[in-house]
Amino acid sequence: MANRFQAEDRYADGAQYIGGRLRSGTSGRKQDIVNPATGERVHTYELAGAADVDDAVAAAREAFPGWAGATPGERSDALHRFASVLAEQAEDLAYAESLQCGKPIKLSTEFDVPGTVDNTAFFAGAARHLQGQSAGEYSGDHTSYVRREPIGVVGSIAPWNYPLQMAAWKVLPAIAAGNTIVLKPAEITPLTSLMFAEAAKEAGIPDGVVNIVNGAGRDAGERLVGHPDVAMTSFTGSTPVGRRVAEIATATVKRLHLELGGKAPFVVFDDADLEAAVHGAVAGSLINSGQDCTAATRAYVQRPLYDAFVSGVADLMATVRLGDPLDPATDLGPLVSHLQRDRVAGFVDRARAYATVVTGGEAPQGELKNGAYYRPTLVAGAAQDSEIVQSEIFGPVLVVLPFDSDDEGIALANDTPYGLAASAWSRDVFRANRATREIKAGCVWINDHIPIISEMPHGGYQASGFGKDMSMYSFEEYTQVKHVMYDNTAVVRKDWHRTIFGDR
């Protein structure tokens, strides 16, 4: 794989993809792409500046009439070809994703890439099924129907934790609905977003429909969000940055879609299958080295199972294999950067003053010492209002707290500003149903934690943002709904006119 994909060669002309071609940025500042497993440089490119964003928006605006005017069938056919191209390039995509992010290759190969291909195939079908209310004579004298129309140029910003999947989540519903897009990935993980856009061109999607600008948030990102020719902004990232995006977008009255931070509760009732809950907690908290906004971060365990749960999770975490992300035997790779590793370590180190680190809580030494690794970590004994319980850590850290009554468990689950995802573990259908009703989150899993599917929506409540990715619900974000109303009477002097002038 390494011999087939060399970033230095492939992106020698630059890491901006505008109007169907690669070019260099114009900011005058360089950005290194670093392999977080080794600290070695993979590629250096010039960041985008405001002028590059302007050019990308202009390319998207130019491409919009033709793409919006294509039939749903034509867009669907192009997306089906797109899915096929991505499937053909699956091995290279998985390698590049692991190289820039530090993901274990088995995660990239079995989750990130196939999920992206499936999402593309889903939207290929969805493009032909934009839904609206059926035509009818709702007033008696008129026929009404609903049109769904594309919004225009979409300016999207994606995070570094799932660069390929987030590119897909932003691009696919937008272009399936007839919009064009300028995507700004995280500047430290741009490779698979560029590959995704190149695959779109190979599939026959016209130049300018998908554009990529790789630049810093304060330069390229803010210019994109505030651009007068961008009709909609979609952002995935932290809640504090989301607030800034909202400030800029609302100043120009744009459509706004935000998928922000999370602090997912993992609620284990005393009738749960303990072994299943332990395995689910370890998998749900360590996926992508914990760099997942839906990852299990707060385990609330009813007191009869609490001690056994803590012991079981600690023992299972101790078996997790850290290593080279490109080794198929590796379970847990590094965090995306040393900066992120140190941020996670800071949360754990501060927690030692008020809680117990049951296992982990350190960076490995030896042959992994140059990478941004951090051991799977379990913390117990923290208070509900403590930093490690309330703040998003974004690392391989799980905090566990006990509860007594069902009321208390659900109340604790809801006791954060976030509301993106949650899970509840019980054999009792009534308990489980209560949890799905009362836990405030955009997704609640029962007896599992983390699976997502293209047909179902993803999005949050409260400080986790608003709007939905994936599924048919995403078209609510990327289309404008227009009511069309025809008079059926051919009557010149209508009765309702008399409410404005004259007599009946």
Side-chain angles (χ1 to χ4, degrees):
M1 279 188 285
N3 292 330
R4 290 217 313 267
F5 178 86
Q6 294 291 340
E8 290 279 18
D9 295 335
R10 183 158 180 169
Y11 298 115
D13 293 334
Q16 316 302 326
Y17 188 79
I18 298 171
R21 68 180 185 87
L22 292 166
R23 65 182 230 189
S24 184
T26 61
S27 70
R29 292 186 292 114
K30 301 288 187 179
Q31 173 68 48
D32 287 338
I33 304 170
V34 175
N35 178 350
T38 62
E40 297 173 347
R41 185 182 65 85
V42 173
H43 182 44
T44 299
Y45 69 94
E46 188 160 355
L47 290 164
D52 303 302
V53 174
D54 291 347
D55 288 349
V57 172
R61 187 178 181 188
E62 182 179 357
F64 175 70
W67 184 247
T71 66
E74 290 168 338
R75 290 198 293 268
S76 175
D77 288 347
L79 287 166
H80 277 299
R81 295 192 300 270
F82 192 9
S84 295
V85 172
L86 292 170
E88 291 167 1
Q89 298 177 2
E91 194 174 12
D92 283 345
L93 287 164
Y95 172 78
E97 195 76 333
S98 290
L99 184 69
Q100 67 181 351
C101 299
K103 294 174 185 283
I105 193 67
K106 65 180 180 180
L107 182 67
S108 295
T109 301
E110 299 177 29
F111 182 73
D112 295 70
V113 174
T116 300
V117 173
D118 182 74
N119 212 227
T120 308
F122 171 81
F123 279 106
R128 303 184 82 140
H129 297 283
L130 291 177
Q131 297 172 348
Q133 192 167 355
S134 60
E137 288 67 52
Y138 298 99
S139 77
D141 291 337
H142 306 80
T143 296
S144 290
Y145 67 88
V146 169
R147 291 177 56 89
R148 281 194 179 273
E149 297 179 348
I151 295 171
V153 177
V154 177
S156 291
I157 300 176
W160 46 255
N161 57 333
Y162 289 102
L164 178 61
Q165 285 197 315
M166 292 297 100
W169 285 18
K170 298 302 183 192
V171 170
L172 294 171
I175 68 172
N179 302 285
T180 56
I181 189 167
V182 179
L183 173 69
K184 193 200 90 64
E187 59 268 32
I188 63 172
T189 55
L191 297 178
T192 48
S193 299
L194 290 166
M195 296 169 73
F196 189 75
E198 291 174 305
K201 181 183 177 72
E202 187 174 337
I205 293 173
D207 292 347
V209 172
V210 179
N211 306 275
I212 308 291
V213 290
N214 285 299
R218 289 196 176 275
D219 300 327
E222 294 200 1
R223 177 60 179 169
L224 180 61
V225 173
H227 199 289
D229 291 333
V230 169
M232 174 186 167
T233 290
S234 176
F235 170 80
T236 295
S238 71
T239 297
V241 178
R243 293 191 185 101
R244 175 61 179 158
V245 169
E247 290 174 1
I248 299 170
T250 53
T252 51
V253 199
K254 286 177 168 54
R255 177 79 65 88
L256 183 61
H257 169 218
L258 298 174
E259 198 264 273
L260 306 177
K263 190 69 177 175
F266 186 101
V267 183
V268 182
F269 294 103
D270 58 13
D271 67 329
D273 182 321
L274 178 62
E275 184 180 12
V278 166
H279 280 256
V282 172
S285 63
L286 300 186
I287 185 171
N288 202 34
S289 298
Q291 300 167 127
D292 186 312
C293 51
T294 63
T297 57
R298 298 178 291 140
Y300 297 103
V301 183
Q302 207 151 23
R303 208 168 292 274
L305 295 184
Y306 178 78
D307 289 340
F309 180 88
V310 171
S311 175
V313 169
D315 289 346
L316 190 55
M317 280 185 168
T319 70
V320 172
R321 298 165 297 184
L322 281 70
D324 178 359
L326 299 179
D327 182 346
T330 293
D331 295 324
L332 193 74
L335 281 85
V336 74
S337 67
H338 287 80
L339 181 66
Q340 180 64 16
R341 192 270 311 275
D342 293 345
R343 179 180 181 276
V344 171
F347 276 102
V348 177
D349 290 343
R350 290 189 296 274
R352 296 180 195 276
Y354 56 80
T356 300
V357 178
V358 179
T359 190
E362 62 182 5
Q365 298 302 307
E367 62 183 18
L368 300 180
K369 67 179 181 180
N370 292 328
Y373 290 89
Y374 198 74
R375 293 195 185 281
T377 300
L378 180 65
V379 176
Q384 174 66 14
D385 62 355
S386 61
E387 177 193 50
I388 204 163
V389 174
Q390 292 292 326
S391 298
E392 188 173 34
I393 300 171
F394 233 54
V397 179
L398 177 64
V399 184
V400 59
L401 297 88
F403 70 91
D404 292 304
S405 69
D406 289 15
D407 289 348
E408 182 189 11
I410 291 174
L412 289 169
N414 286 331
D415 185 28
T416 71
Y418 299 105
L420 187 58
S423 65
W425 298 72
S426 174
R427 291 183 173 97
D428 186 324
V429 66
F430 298 103
R431 258 180 164 172
N433 280 337
R434 180 189 177 190
T436 65
R437 291 192 307 272
E438 297 186 13
I439 293 177
K440 296 181 177 67
C443 174
V444 180
W445 293 285
I446 299 298
N447 296 326
D448 208 345
H449 193 108
I450 228 68
I452 54 174
I453 50 175
S454 297
E455 291 83 358
M456 288 291 118
H458 175 87
Y461 288 18
Q462 305 178 142
S464 292
F466 48 81
K468 300 299 179 186
D469 290 312
M470 301 196 298
S471 81
M472 296 298 292
Y473 291 97
S474 64
F475 286 128
E476 301 292 338
E477 315 300 320
Y478 294 97
T479 58
Q480 301 186 94
V481 174
K482 178 185 288 183
H483 170 213
V484 178
M485 194 175 203
Y486 282 89
D487 171 58
N488 292 330
T489 67
V491 172
V492 175
R493 295 171 56 86
K494 295 178 170 62
D495 282 348
W496 78 265
H497 291 173
R498 305 290 76 77
T499 65
I500 311 302
F501 64 89
D503 300 320
R504 293 186 186 276

